[in-house]
Amino acid sequence: MASTAGTLDSPVKQIQIEGMVVLKIIKHYQEEGQGSEVVQGVLLGLVVEDRLEITNCFPFPQHTEDDADFDEVQYQMEMMRSLRHVNIDHLHVGWYQSTYYGSFVSRALLDSQFSYQHAIEESVVLIYDPIKTGQGSLSLKAYRLTPKLMEICKEKDFTPEGLKKANIGFEHMFEEVPIVIRNSHLINVLMWELEDKSTVADKHELLNLSSSNHLEKSLQLLMDRVDDMSQDIVKFNTYSRNLSKQQQQKHQYLQRRQQENAQRQSRGEPQLPEEDINKMFKPPQPPPRMDTLLIAGQVNNYCQNVKEFTSQNLGKLFMAEALQGHN
Amino acid sequence: MSRFFATGSDSESEESSSADEITPKAPGTTLKQSLLLSDDEEDTKRVVRSAKDKRFEELTNLIKTIRNAMKIRDMAKCLEEFEQLCRAFLKSKNIVDKEGVPSFYIRLLADLEDYLNLLWEDKEGKKKMNKNNAKALSTLRQKIRKYNRDYETEITAYKENPQESADEEEEKEAGDSGSSSDSDDDDDDDDDGVSAKAFLKKKPESAPDASKFLKSSKGSGESSSSEDDDEGGWGSDPVGSGSESSDEDQGKSASLAVVFLKKTHESEKSADKKVSKRKKIKKEHLEEEPEEGEGEEVEGGWEKVKGGVCLVKEKPKMFAKGTEINIPVVVKKLNEILQARGKKGTDRAAQIELFNALAAITAENNLGQGILVKIKFNIIASLYDYNPNLAAFMKPDMWKKCLDCINELLDILFEDNNIFIGENIAEDSENLAISEQPFRVRGCILTLVERMDEEFTKIMQNTDPHSQEYVDNLKDEGKVCNIIDRLLDYLETKGSTEEICRVYLRRIMHTYYKFDYKTHRRSLGLPAESKSEQDQDESEGEDSAIIMDRLCKFIYAKDRTDRIRTCAILCHIYHHALHSRWYQARDLMLMSHLQDNIQHADPPVQILYNRTMVQLGICAFRQGMIKDAHNALLDIQSSGRAKELLGQGLLMRNMQERNAEQEKIEKRRQVPFHMHINLELLECVYLVSAMLLEIPYMAAHEFDARRRMISKQFHHQLRVGERQPLLGPPESMREHVVAASKAMKMGDWRTCHSFIINEKMNSKVWDLFPETQRVREMLVRKIQEESLRTYLFTYSSVYDSISMHTLSEMFQLEIPTVHSIISKMIINEELMASLDQPTQTVVMHRTEPTSLQNMALQLAEKLGSLVENNERVFDLKQGVYGGYFNRDQKGSYQQKHGGYQRGGYRNQNQNNY
């Protein structure tokens, strides 16, 4: 989705994931997540030069209502300590999250990724899409906030002006970091051995021709976002209209003031005292623009998804047609 | 007290009032205080003559309360009273100027100041006082200081010699009263001679006063006996009733005097000498007064008595014995009684009794029907008057009396053709005497009957509708109807057109809401299940429909007031609707044009209108006109205030929105319980008709972004149903309808049917209809049809073709019906299909967009509006606000950005079909 090539000043250029981590994440979702529910967990690993190696992970426990006082930080610390005892990498390098039809660009994600990246510079967020994976192609993506966005978040300036000054668009919010899945040689050897023995069914989800369900869902979500977007724009519209109206009033007022002062001067009277113009014309509260930006990012994300999906499906359909013709 | 003064002030009333004042004080703890006080009063009474005593009386009263407050150390009260006193004193300034400052006033000022100073010094006591009192004390102290400066000389004079002045007065007082007894007597005699009437009026009041006085002055042991005596003494005069000779009377009172004297002697032992002495003197006065009063009574005869303040006593001796009872005398008497009407102290029950007695006398003496009718009129009027409050309702016995009376009156009127009654006949042109000419009596029987009808409604409103009492009261409805019928007969021969209209309306009001079971049965061709001959007779009576028709048509033709006509039309429609004559009812409603201007009518008419509309809707439902039913009920149901709009109960609301006064008014508007329309039935009918309309509509417009709700209420119920976390089997009527709607959505008519028509719903709703079976059959049919439609809308996309046989089997409808429904849908372009006649199948055209396509269309639309909004922002930046629209109109926008075509998706949309 975002600028794929990591910018030069980014400390992480590539991510190398152990196969086990991937399996663990998938397993986590399989066991706990269902439908639109989201599962999250911690990534552990270390940085080697400009390469981030993720060697292990563990899930956040699901919250239930009766353990509201559950201390997550405490749990993480305990977990890491225990892992350390068994000599596993225990450095915190980010977190992972599952997604539902590619909807993950949200305020919550932004905030937590910001705090991660703020504390641990090289941390990433792994987005795992179980639905796409279920269709036959593993979907795992790593994202980082761009330095620009980091700065904005640091300043917490989400006004229209602030964002304009930072010159940030929805395209420049996240950067995707390329991922390499790597297994140890021993595992590779094992895989080779297993491949011969395995009796994997000939079912190829990848070749499934039905598409409308997935598309419908995506469209539905896209539509919701578009609605949000519309609302935001209307809000912004009223804001800017109010602002300009006020500007006009202010201007008129100042002009009148000037005229009067000029008259007074000609009559030899003292000038009118200066008044606090800002007090008289309080500028309207600008709506925060960050959400709009995020929605735009999300919409973009959906669009990419749909595009990808449809192009793949078209390919499949052509293939099927050709096959049919051949028979 | 004030009443006495109002009647005129002479020494007698003063006496009695002062006596009254002493009574509570006599057993008081501080004898001296009361002594001084009573002195004051006596003093002022003696010194000041009638014009001034009023003022001084006021002052003394205030002083008394101040002294009381002083005794209990209630400073706050003291202060309050003192301020009043100052004001009162100021008022009586001109009198004071003439007479000099009264000594009792000065005395109070002095005493009060001393007292306050004493309290002020008493630090301990002050601490004990509560805050309020302490504050009042200091204010009062300041006030009185300032105030007393004006009367310094007097006060010092009093202070120098307080005892003396008091004694002086007392002595003077004693002498005064002693001597005045004689002079007073003379005075009284004179007075009596001059104003016997006034004296008589006062007399009965002074009597109880005197007795009270007596009671308090003697020991408690004697009180009962003395009372007996007392009553015996007073009670004897009614027995005497005019024929008693004055000698006898005198003797009686003499013996009474002995009793009095004896008692006072006894009381002397316990009480202070001075006090009792004075009392004794006063008692002697009192004795003499009644004595003379009685004498007067006898001599003056009863004719002289005007106004009936004490009517109870007069009752038995309506006329002096020997008086020739003739019409003028009776009329005079009647007027006398009437004059008391509406006055404050009048005993209304007694008045009714009086009228009755008068009527009896009249009848006894054969004075003719004219006067009897007049008296009857008055009896009924006073029965209505009995309750001063408009909201209160008649007591059962009153009500019975009223009914009887009206019946009697009607009897008389029917018997005698020579009586003319009317409101317009002036009092002096009445002809009550038996003569050749017909009687002429002022009065309006119609008004009385209308009032009776209202009273009946009021009684019904105020009775608990679930009690046996209500049933009992309701039995009177027959009587009321009977009276109205009789009146109707009477007025048809004698009354004016307006009167006939009015009585017709009354009749209609008692008919329109009743379902005519007999006619209904007859129309069904069933033999009337007659248990008795009487039943048979009744069932052969006129149809209520014919009666309604006749009465209403007369009103339509003759009425000149809009209101009666409006009510008649509404009742007529209601009656039609109740008896399932839908087309007549609807046509009448449309012809009346009431829908346009009903909001200008008064609330009761509006309530009637609402009732009529509701009945119309229910009628339409019974006839299977679902759409009409829904439309008729929409207004009432959508507000959620059906109860209030139909006048069947008040909604709980904040007090801000409605104060007590309004609530009372609204309560008066309520429709009695037996006329209520079942609200659950109403809601059920509405919801079911909404379901039958809405579910197919929803299925047809599933993807239409611009679809509208037909019924908000129904959607609300659906949402409530959806919000339920756990769905059990339906309990209430609403839940049944919601469950049925859900089944219908899936085209499952059997489940829908079982939810709508089952035992629970039968007992709750459907059995309330007169033609239950027919309604249920209609409902099943409708459910089948609408389910078929819903099914086709929902699942047409999955079929290539569908056999009509299958459909007919699925929905248990005959093939022609299925055929007609599908044809209609095709014609209305609701269903994209064609009928294949030879194979009897429906072939789908498959032009309906798939859900994905629909979604894409929706998205496109949304994006369109998003772009529009976005461009508006852009325009704002450019500073050409609204330029976008202009551009759009010119079409230059499309030219510039050739690629993007606004509205293109819409074109596409249309191409799809």
Side-chain angles (χ1 to χ4, degrees):
Chain A
M1 73 162 255
S3 51
T4 16
T7 34
L8 282 173
D9 46 348
S10 171
V12 184
K13 291 239 166 59
Q14 198 188 24
I15 293 170
Q16 184 181 307
I17 309 179
E18 286 279 325
M20 185 195 63
V21 175
V22 178
L23 287 177
K24 266 177 109 171
I25 292 172
I26 292 172
K27 186 163 170 269
H28 181 199
Y29 178 81
Q30 220 92 70
E31 279 171 357
E32 286 184 13
Q34 25 170 249
S36 55
E37 241 170 84
V38 160
V39 297
Q40 291 174 325
V42 176
L43 296 175
L44 302 170
L46 67 164
V47 185
V48 184
E49 291 164 356
D50 59 355
R51 193 175 71 230
L52 178 68
E53 292 184 3
I54 300 172
T55 55
N56 212 333
C57 70
F58 62 87
F60 288 142
Q62 215 76 343
H63 278 291
T64 45
E65 269 174 26
D66 44 273
D67 55 13
D69 52 345
F70 178 78
D71 189 353
E72 224 165 81
V73 179
Q74 184 70 26
Y75 172 78
Q76 285 182 34
M77 299 311 282
E78 290 268 325
M79 202 63 195
M80 280 193 266
R81 202 172 301 132
S82 311
L83 288 171
R84 189 183 186 173
H85 284 308
V86 291
N87 209 10
I88 290 174
D89 280 335
H90 59 271
L91 286 176
H92 209 154
V93 293
W95 56 300
Y96 69 87
Q97 190 197 327
S98 72
T99 171
Y100 180 70
Y101 286 104
S103 59
F104 62 87
V105 188
S106 67
R107 194 64 192 257
L109 182 114
L110 177 72
D111 287 347
S112 60
Q113 179 58 19
F114 168 71
S115 60
Y116 266 102
Q117 224 165 309
H118 193 61
I120 310 155
E121 212 199 339
E122 62 273 8
S123 51
V124 293
V125 54
L126 267 187
I127 304 292
Y128 161 65
D129 190 338
I131 289 157
K132 248 191 208 171
T133 311
Q135 280 168 348
S137 52
L138 175 67
S139 163
L140 204 61
K141 281 179 177 162
Y143 292 105
R144 286 170 53 76
L145 300 185
T146 54
K148 265 185 192 169
L149 194 60
M150 282 298 289
E151 255 164 56
I152 292 169
C153 287
K154 248 182 245 171
E155 283 164 20
K156 298 227 176 291
D157 180 16
F158 299 135
T159 55
E161 280 77 29
L163 290 182
K164 207 168 151 191
K165 208 169 63 195
N167 192 20
I168 192 159
F170 65 90
E171 309 94 330
H172 310 300
M173 289 169 72
F174 294 94
E175 55 177 358
E176 196 183 333
V177 191
I179 295 174
V180 175
I181 300 178
R182 220 197 81 103
N183 287 321
S184 70
H185 297 307
L186 275 174
I187 290 174
N188 280 336
V189 170
L190 182 70
M191 296 279 278
W192 277 111
E193 256 187 59
L194 284 177
E195 199 162 33
D196 286 341
K197 288 179 193 168
S198 77
T199 52
V200 175
D202 291 330
K203 252 168 111 188
H204 290 291
E205 285 290 331
L206 196 62
L207 295 178
N208 196 349
L209 282 178
S210 76
S211 61
S212 61
N213 194 24
H214 188 258
L215 274 177
E216 265 175 41
K217 275 271 159 54
S218 297
L219 275 186
Q220 192 91 56
L221 290 164
L222 181 58
M223 228 183 297
D224 291 348
R225 292 298 95 181
V226 169
D227 276 347
D228 291 347
M229 184 81 129
S230 280
Q231 269 176 20
D232 265 14
I233 284 183
V234 169
K235 251 186 243 165
F236 184 71
N237 214 345
T238 34
Y239 159 71
S240 37
R241 206 177 311 156
N242 285 346
L243 192 69
S244 71
K245 215 185 279 171
Q246 208 180 47
Q247 290 284 357
Q248 224 171 352
Q249 278 176 349
K250 201 163 145 183
H251 193 69
Q252 274 179 357
Y253 175 79
L254 280 177
Q255 254 181 349
R256 224 181 303 134
R257 232 354 174 3
Q258 246 170 4
Q259 271 181 354
E260 208 167 314
N261 271 345
Q263 272 183 359
R264 275 166 175 266
Q265 217 163 16
S266 64
R267 274 180 284 166
E269 285 172 33
Q271 296 208 340
L272 285 170
E274 282 296 314
E275 279 168 45
D276 195 359
I277 220 115
N278 282 341
K279 237 180 219 167
M280 292 175 64
F281 298 99
K282 231 179 202 161
Q285 190 70 34
R289 297 295 288 159
M290 200 59 203
D291 289 330
T292 321
L293 219 54
L294 285 168
I295 291 168
Q298 183 64 63
V299 167
N300 186 37
N301 203 10
Y302 283 136
C303 290
Q304 296 287 345
N305 268 350
V306 171
K307 216 165 98 187
E308 202 178 304
F309 186 80
T310 44
S311 58
Q312 279 176 6
N313 256 37
L314 274 179
K316 275 190 270 181
L317 285 172
F318 277 121
M319 214 155 74
E321 199 182 16
L323 278 173
Q324 251 180 348
H326 199 69
N327 285 344
Chain B
M1 197 80 46
S2 58
R3 230 191 298 165
F4 302 145
F5 289 109
T7 54
S9 63
D10 52 359
S11 52
E12 289 310 325
S13 63
E14 275 159 38
E15 276 299 337
S16 62
S17 59
S18 64
D20 206 16
E21 270 152 35
I22 292 167
T23 41
K25 221 142 286 170
T29 44
T30 48
L31 205 74
K32 199 188 168 219
Q33 201 80 0
S34 70
L35 223 140
L36 281 170
L37 235 166
S38 56
D39 277 355
D40 284 350
E41 280 155 12
E42 294 299 312
D43 187 27
T44 53
K45 292 286 144 59
R46 298 286 159 193
V47 172
V48 185
R49 294 253 50 103
S50 60
K52 290 136 201 164
D53 56 12
K54 208 167 166 180
R55 293 278 176 224
F56 279 10
E57 168 104 26
E58 204 179 324
L59 291 181
T60 42
N61 275 342
L62 284 169
I63 288 170
K64 203 169 65 190
T65 32
I66 290 178
R67 293 214 189 252
N68 275 339
M70 276 159 70
K71 255 180 267 168
I72 56 167
R73 294 192 168 212
D74 186 351
M75 281 304 117
K77 173 103 179 146
C78 227
L79 177 64
E80 195 185 300
E81 292 295 327
F82 180 72
E83 273 165 4
Q84 268 187 28
L85 182 66
C86 292
R87 251 174 281 151
F89 191 74
L90 220 67
K91 256 198 252 169
S92 51
K93 192 150 191 323
N94 47 4
I95 295 164
V96 172
D97 285 346
K98 247 187 261 168
E99 305 279 327
V101 181
S103 54
F104 60 86
Y105 192 69
I106 296 301
R107 204 178 313 152
L108 177 93
L109 290 180
D111 284 355
L112 194 59
E113 198 177 10
D114 287 348
Y115 175 71
L116 288 176
N117 284 335
L118 208 75
L119 274 186
W120 194 253
E121 309 292 89
D122 184 11
K123 294 276 191 258
E124 294 262 315
K126 233 166 69 182
K127 262 177 216 160
K128 271 185 220 156
M129 263 186 213
N130 66 30
K131 218 174 177 185
N132 234 349
N133 260 350
K135 208 172 148 196
L137 173 64
S138 55
T139 353
L140 185 58
R141 189 164 162 271
Q142 275 172 357
K143 264 207 174 137
I144 199 145
R145 258 197 202 162
K146 222 160 117 196
Y147 196 79
N148 281 2
R149 241 171 260 155
D150 297 339
Y151 303 98
E152 228 162 321
T153 48
E154 284 97 331
I155 289 171
T156 42
Y158 165 72
K159 274 187 182 163
E160 271 167 24
N161 201 356
Q163 201 53 47
E164 205 178 282
S165 56
D167 279 352
E168 233 173 36
E169 268 164 45
E170 269 160 45
E171 272 164 39
K172 200 173 97 194
E173 159 73 22
D176 236 24
S177 55
S179 63
S180 70
S181 66
D182 301 21
S183 63
D184 266 11
D185 276 5
D186 296 344
D187 258 328
D188 288 345
D189 282 342
D190 291 349
D191 269 355
D192 290 345
V194 177
S195 61
K197 281 177 209 162
F199 186 52
L200 272 172
K201 245 187 269 172
K202 246 173 295 144
K203 181 226 76 189
E205 247 72 23
S206 61
D209 266 330
S211 73
K212 214 200 289 176
F213 174 49
L214 281 168
K215 252 183 271 171
S216 54
S217 67
K218 63 201 147 146
S220 58
E222 289 148 16
S223 68
S224 64
S225 70
S226 79
E227 226 168 59
D228 287 350
D229 275 0
D230 220 25
E231 269 168 18
W234 290 107
S236 66
D237 63 47
V239 178
S241 83
S243 63
E244 208 176 313
S245 74
S246 58
D247 282 11
E248 254 177 37
D249 223 346
Q250 217 81 36
K252 199 139 211 157
S253 51
S255 68
L256 258 177
V258 173
V259 175
F260 284 169
L261 281 169
K262 198 175 126 213
K263 259 161 228 157
T264 36
H265 273 297
E266 276 160 7
S267 63
E268 233 168 292
K269 288 166 200 162
S270 60
D272 194 299
K273 252 190 180 172
K274 271 186 205 164
V275 178
S276 65
K277 198 172 158 194
R278 237 194 338 276
K279 275 180 192 162
K280 198 168 101 194
I281 293 157
K282 254 183 272 159
K283 256 175 262 161
E284 272 161 10
H285 276 286
L286 283 169
E287 279 160 42
E288 277 158 22
E289 289 160 27
E291 202 179 308
E292 276 148 14
E294 270 163 56
E296 280 299 322
E297 268 169 43
V298 179
E299 283 154 27
W302 278 101
E303 278 84 349
K304 277 192 180 172
V305 177
K306 284 271 152 88
V309 192
C310 54
L311 284 164
V312 195
K313 279 176 191 166
E314 288 177 43
K315 189 183 88 182
K317 33 175 183 174
M318 193 70 78
F319 297 103
K321 197 181 181 183
T323 318
E324 196 204 339
I325 296 174
N326 53 20
I327 289 166
V329 171
V330 173
V331 171
K332 204 171 167 194
K333 182 72 199 156
L334 189 66
N335 285 336
E336 273 166 27
I337 302 169
L338 273 179
Q339 264 162 15
R341 182 181 168 188
K343 279 191 188 136
K344 215 176 171 187
T346 316
D347 183 350
R348 289 183 291 268
Q351 216 182 359
I352 293 163
E353 286 298 304
L354 272 176
F355 278 127
N356 275 330
L358 201 59
I361 291 170
T362 318
E364 219 172 89
N365 288 293
N366 263 336
L367 287 181
Q369 303 290 19
I371 189 79
L372 204 56
V373 166
K374 191 166 172 61
I375 294 169
K376 288 272 184 216
F377 268 128
N378 283 315
I379 292 176
I380 298 164
S382 59
L383 277 170
Y384 293 146
D385 271 353
Y386 187 71
N387 275 322
N389 192 345
L390 203 58
F393 62 102
M394 269 190 175
K395 289 195 186 62
D397 53 330
M398 283 289 178
W399 168 243
K400 208 144 270 151
K401 257 190 227 165
C402 179
L403 282 182
D404 291 345
C405 219
I406 291 177
N407 259 328
E408 280 165 31
L409 185 58
L410 281 169
D411 281 340
I412 296 170
L413 290 177
F414 270 110
E415 267 171 35
D416 212 326
N417 262 331
N418 270 341
I419 304 175
F420 284 112
I421 51 171
E423 305 168 86
N424 306 326
I425 297 170
E427 199 88 35
D428 37 3
S429 72
E430 279 183 335
N431 183 11
L432 302 171
I434 309 172
S435 60
E436 293 303 300
Q437 279 140 347
F439 295 108
R440 290 169 65 82
V441 182
R442 180 187 166 82
C444 180
I445 177 103
L446 179 58
T447 320
L448 291 181
V449 172
E450 277 178 343
R451 180 73 199 270
M452 174 202 71
D453 196 27
E454 275 154 28
E455 287 293 340
F456 177 68
T457 314
K458 237 189 267 175
I459 289 173
M460 297 318 283
Q461 280 169 352
N462 283 292
T463 318
D464 173 18
H466 304 294
S467 63
Q468 182 62 33
E469 199 189 343
Y470 193 88
V471 179
D472 293 341
N473 285 341
L474 196 54
K475 281 176 190 160
D476 285 342
E477 224 249 334
K479 289 183 203 163
V480 173
C481 289
N482 198 16
I483 287 174
I484 291 173
D485 273 345
R486 292 183 64 185
L487 180 68
L488 195 144
D489 287 344
Y490 177 74
L491 286 179
E492 267 174 355
T493 54
K494 297 214 168 160
S496 66
T497 331
E498 282 115 86
E499 281 176 322
I500 295 175
C501 283
R502 271 163 72 191
V503 76
Y504 275 8
L505 184 65
R506 284 286 150 189
R507 179 66 218 271
I508 289 168
M509 284 296 200
H510 277 279
T511 316
Y512 80 96
Y513 64 91
K514 289 174 188 153
F515 188 77
D516 195 345
Y517 277 98
K518 282 166 194 135
T519 317
H520 176 59
R521 196 172 286 147
R522 231 181 300 156
S523 71
L524 289 181
L526 292 173
E529 294 167 28
S530 53
K531 285 167 200 134
S532 65
E533 283 292 303
Q534 198 194 355
D535 250 18
Q536 193 94 40
D537 288 346
E538 269 178 36
S539 68
E540 260 145 38
E542 217 175 346
D543 266 7
S544 65
I546 297 168
I547 298 173
M548 284 293 287
D549 210 47
R550 184 167 59 82
L551 301 183
C552 289
K553 279 189 177 144
F554 182 84
I555 291 179
Y556 301 155
K558 298 280 163 67
D559 175 59
R560 273 193 294 273
T561 63
D562 244 5
R563 192 176 184 277
I564 289 180
R565 195 186 8 239
T566 308
C567 287
I569 290 174
L570 288 173
C571 292
H572 204 178
I573 296 168
Y574 190 102
H575 194 259
H576 277 317
L578 193 64
H579 295 84
S580 299
R581 292 187 291 271
W582 156 250
Y583 288 106
Q584 278 112 303
R586 189 198 59 186
D587 293 347
L588 202 52
M589 180 56 102
L590 291 177
M591 274 194 296
S592 68
H593 292 289
L594 278 174
Q595 279 151 311
D596 309 329
N597 49 22
I598 194 68
Q599 63 269 22
H600 305 304
D602 49 354
V605 177
Q606 283 190 20
I607 286 174
L608 184 60
Y609 172 79
N610 289 339
R611 283 164 60 77
T612 306
M613 274 318 268
V614 164
Q615 200 56 249
L616 205 57
I618 292 174
C619 172
F621 183 79
R622 281 200 304 256
Q623 305 296 309
M625 330 255 176
I626 302 299
K627 204 160 177 142
D628 291 312
H630 179 266
N631 288 343
L633 298 180
L634 184 63
D635 281 344
I636 303 289
Q637 278 293 322
S638 62
S639 64
R641 294 187 302 149
K643 203 170 156 197
E644 202 183 359
L645 290 175
L646 292 176
Q648 301 190 354
L650 304 175
L651 289 182
M652 287 298 135
R653 266 193 280 159
N654 302 355
M655 288 312 280
Q656 307 150 341
E657 280 180 63
R658 176 177 60 194
N659 51 30
E661 197 56 37
Q662 264 174 311
E663 193 173 322
K664 258 186 214 154
I665 294 170
E666 274 175 41
K667 255 191 191 143
R668 239 177 284 148
R669 281 188 205 135
Q670 298 302 305
V671 177
F673 184 71
H674 59 278
M675 296 163 73
H676 278 198
I677 294 168
N678 190 316
L679 289 175
E680 191 164 27
L681 169 78
L682 169 62
E683 196 182 351
C684 180
V685 165
Y686 174 75
L687 285 179
V688 169
S689 38
M691 176 186 87
L692 291 174
L693 291 176
E694 186 89 65
I695 298 288
Y697 179 81
M698 273 163 73
H701 299 265
E702 205 184 342
F703 301 111
D704 192 349
R706 277 162 301 183
R707 96 186 134 136
R708 268 188 201 95
M709 283 187 267
I710 294 178
S711 157
K712 247 185 192 160
Q713 186 84 359
F714 178 67
H715 274 272
H716 175 71
Q717 291 304 338
L718 281 188
R719 271 200 300 277
V720 169
E722 271 163 26
R723 239 180 278 146
Q724 222 65 244
L726 197 66
L727 261 182
E731 282 289 331
S732 69
M733 177 272 296
R734 283 177 200 163
E735 283 167 4
H736 272 100
V737 176
V738 169
S741 309
K742 275 185 188 150
M744 194 190 229
K745 243 187 221 166
M746 315 300 292
D748 183 358
W749 77 271
R750 267 171 241 272
T751 321
C752 180
H753 171 215
S754 70
F755 275 131
I756 291 289
I757 298 173
N758 52 32
E759 234 154 73
K760 243 184 215 164
M761 289 290 273
N762 274 347
S763 66
K764 262 183 195 156
V765 181
W766 305 125
D767 284 348
L768 299 173
F769 285 132
E771 297 161 299
T772 315
Q773 205 44 49
R774 216 168 57 75
V775 172
R776 275 197 284 254
E777 276 160 21
M778 179 277 297
L779 252 181
V780 175
R781 175 108 190 152
K782 284 278 168 200
I783 288 172
Q784 285 169 339
E785 287 176 13
E786 295 304 326
S787 299
L788 169 62
R789 274 161 54 81
T790 314
Y791 185 82
L792 285 177
F793 282 134
T794 317
Y795 298 110
S796 65
S797 59
V798 297
Y799 283 104
D800 267 332
S801 64
I802 186 166
S803 153
M804 279 203 274
H805 280 288
T806 324
L807 284 177
S808 126
E809 254 166 57
M810 272 172 80
F811 293 96
Q812 301 235 315
L813 289 163
E814 312 84 59
I815 289 183
T817 323
V818 175
H819 189 276
S820 91
I821 291 173
I822 293 174
S823 305
K824 253 186 231 161
M825 286 169 76
I826 292 172
I827 289 168
N828 290 337
E829 297 192 341
E830 292 170 324
L831 189 69
M832 296 301 149
S834 51
L835 284 169
D836 188 34
Q837 205 58 48
T839 50
Q840 289 279 308
T841 48
V842 189
V843 182
M844 304 295 169
H845 287 176
R846 305 295 245 146
T847 50
E848 297 278 295
T850 62
S851 62
L852 182 65
Q853 282 166 332
N854 265 319
M855 201 96 81
L857 288 174
Q858 272 185 47
L859 178 64
E861 213 157 300
K862 279 184 180 163
L863 284 174
S865 67
L866 179 66
V867 170
E868 227 164 79
N869 279 329
N870 224 355
E871 277 171 13
R872 236 171 248 166
V873 175
F874 182 69
D875 279 346
L876 209 63
K877 252 187 201 136
Q878 299 288 310
V880 274
Y881 184 67
Y884 162 73
F885 294 103
N886 301 336
R887 250 195 338 223
D888 200 3
Q889 277 160 3
K890 277 180 229 148
S892 59
Y893 172 75
Q894 270 97 338
Q895 280 159 19
K896 264 186 213 158
H897 312 263
Y900 181 74
Q901 259 213 336
R902 294 184 51 67
Y905 51 90
R906 273 195 203 112
N907 299 338
Q908 206 183 328
N909 193 352
Q910 278 148 13
N911 293 341
N912 257 338
Y913 288 103

